[in-house]
Amino acid sequence: MLAIEENVSLLPYNSFGVAAMASSFFHLKDIGQFNELMNMPVFNGPRLILGGGSNILFTTHYPGLIIRNELQGIHILEETASRILVSVASGESWHDFVMHCVDRDWGGLENLSLIPGTVGAAPIQNIGAYGVEISHAIHEVHGIDLSTGREVAYSRDECGFGYRESVFKGRLKEKIFVSSVTLSLTKNNHHFNVHYGAIEEMLRKDGRHMLSVRAISDAVIKIRQSKLPDHHTLGNAGSFFKNPTVHASRAEAIKKEFSEMPSYPSDNHDVKIPAAWLIEQCGWKGKRINHVGVHAHQALVLVNYGGGTGVEILTLSQQIQQSVSEKFSIDLVPEVNII
Ligand code: EPU
């Protein structure tokens, strides 16, 4: 009989640090428990799979079962002179796994250092930072089909990756439990990606002239620490919104009025505009409203100064959306999952 807890506080399980309760809660430590869990009546009500809780905003009491993924394990599946294929259980901490790779000089994930959350959540939202997305290193994603209980596997092509998107957020949303992720990493002749301006600048500043997995990881960690608040001391969930894409002609029209607007080419004739810049232009950067606010060093990060509720953060995010819509006619879409 599995130990399902009742009326559990979610405060320790969300990086925003908001108070909320769940009717039922289960710590999944062994994948063998999954089929038993699927046969319990509580599984058929509302349910939510929770990883590190670093990309979620609880605005209400959760009326069903929360399954906290605590699956652990890292296994080498295949190794050649130049590459390694490694399978990682989905409940492992993403950053701890990246450090595991950096320690062994396995290349491919160093730009994704210090991203909070679990390995299982990483392909779902195709985490990305400093010019690299996890999709580049994914070989397969393994999971359990939540309607049949059968094991399933998806190749990288089948994952339908896009900017902060995958098939697990689209067609297969809430249909698959990701149990492990298989990554293909380099052992030598690494393909370093340092074109993201701040990395080269940081490497220069630190006198690191030789590119290495470790040097890039260290640089990324320093950059992130300088801009992004640590959720252990200041509640947050990283970027709250996605960076919007608009047609190039629309970006040109905005640039006529705001010539300094940064923009980056995206797919087809689209252009990506940093949401942080749009939010800053609307005067929100560093603003505080009671317990919550907009981070002073990165306008895309909403913060909880302590005691803030999910509804306060949601209301702030809606006010920001409204300002950006009024000033630029651009609709910001949350990146964070709002429950
Ligand atoms: N900017 C501003 N004001 C600010 C901050 C940034 O105008 O307060 C402008 C600057 O022009 C800057 C540009 O926005 O050059 C981009 O800023 P930054 O490099 O900080 O990245 P971002 O686009 O805001 C994205 C990801 C981050 C990731 C960084 C680094 C999204 C939604 N966010 O942020 O991911 O760490 O790039 O690659 O794509 C996350 O998803 O939680 C996250 C933190």
Side-chain angles (χ1 to χ4, degrees), residues 1-3 36 40:
M1 187 68 179
L2 301 178
E36 192 179 343
M40 295 179 75

Side-chain angles (χ1 to χ4, degrees), residues 160-221:
F161 287 122
Y163 167 59
R164 296 294 193 275
E165 285 299 340
S166 76
V167 74
F168 311 107
K169 269 179 91 174
R171 183 170 62 80
L172 297 178
K173 191 174 158 83
E174 281 155 34
K175 294 195 163 78
I176 303 292
F177 169 72
V178 173
S179 53
S180 70
V181 178
T182 306
L183 295 143
S184 172
L185 304 171
T186 50
K187 286 173 65 184
N188 42 50
N189 293 325
H190 305 300
H191 304 289
F192 294 127
N193 192 329
V194 291
H195 298 307
Y196 191 94
I199 295 188
E200 280 172 336
E201 201 183 305
M202 185 59 80
L203 289 167
R204 245 197 323 273
K205 228 163 74 189
D206 283 355
R208 307 283 284 261
H209 304 299
M210 285 281 287
L211 287 185
S212 66
V213 171
R214 170 82 63 192
I216 294 173
S217 170
D218 286 350
V220 167
I221 290 173

Side-chain angles (χ1 to χ4, degrees), residues 130 163-164 196 224 239 243 274 277 280 285 298-299 335:
Y130 307 105
Y163 167 59
R164 296 294 193 275
Y196 191 94
R224 288 189 79 93
S239 302
N243 285 328
W277 184 86
E280 187 172 342
K285 190 167 178 172
Q298 226 298 0
E335 193 215 344

Side-chain angles (χ1 to χ4, degrees), residues 105-168:
D105 196 33
W106 296 343
L109 305 178
E110 54 282 357
N111 293 48
L112 305 178
S113 298
L114 211 62
I115 295 185
T118 53
V119 166
I124 295 177
Q125 55 154 332
N126 188 17
I127 57 168
Y130 307 105
V132 173
E133 291 181 340
I134 190 185
S135 54
H136 297 296
I138 294 266
H139 177 68
E140 276 178 347
V141 173
H142 288 249
I144 294 179
D145 183 320
L146 293 174
S147 56
T148 62
R150 289 214 186 95
E151 287 183 24
V152 284
Y154 298 86
S155 67
R156 177 177 34 198
D157 284 351
E158 289 168 334
C159 289
F161 287 122
Y163 167 59
R164 296 294 193 275
E165 285 299 340
S166 76
V167 74
F168 311 107

Side-chain angles (χ1 to χ4, degrees), residues 248-326:
S249 58
R250 173 86 194 96
E252 282 314 309
I254 303 176
K255 275 193 183 175
K256 287 215 170 89
E257 203 183 332
F258 302 92
S259 56
E260 74 292 4
M261 181 179 80
S263 62
Y264 312 96
S266 182
D267 303 337
N268 303 322
H269 296 292
D270 285 349
V271 167
K272 199 182 269 185
I273 300 175
W277 184 86
L278 298 169
I279 296 168
E280 187 172 342
Q281 294 306 304
C282 294
W284 285 103
K285 190 167 178 172
K287 250 201 186 158
R288 177 171 178 164
I289 300 178
N290 297 321
H291 307 96
V292 302
V294 178
H295 190 48
H297 300 150
Q298 226 298 0
L300 195 45
V301 179
L302 305 191
V303 295
N304 178 6
Y305 288 101
T309 64
V311 170
E312 276 180 274
I313 293 166
L314 179 63
T315 305
L316 172 64
S317 76
Q318 289 165 340
Q319 288 170 325
I320 291 170
Q321 281 173 313
Q322 196 179 338
S323 304
V324 170
S325 164
E326 281 167 9

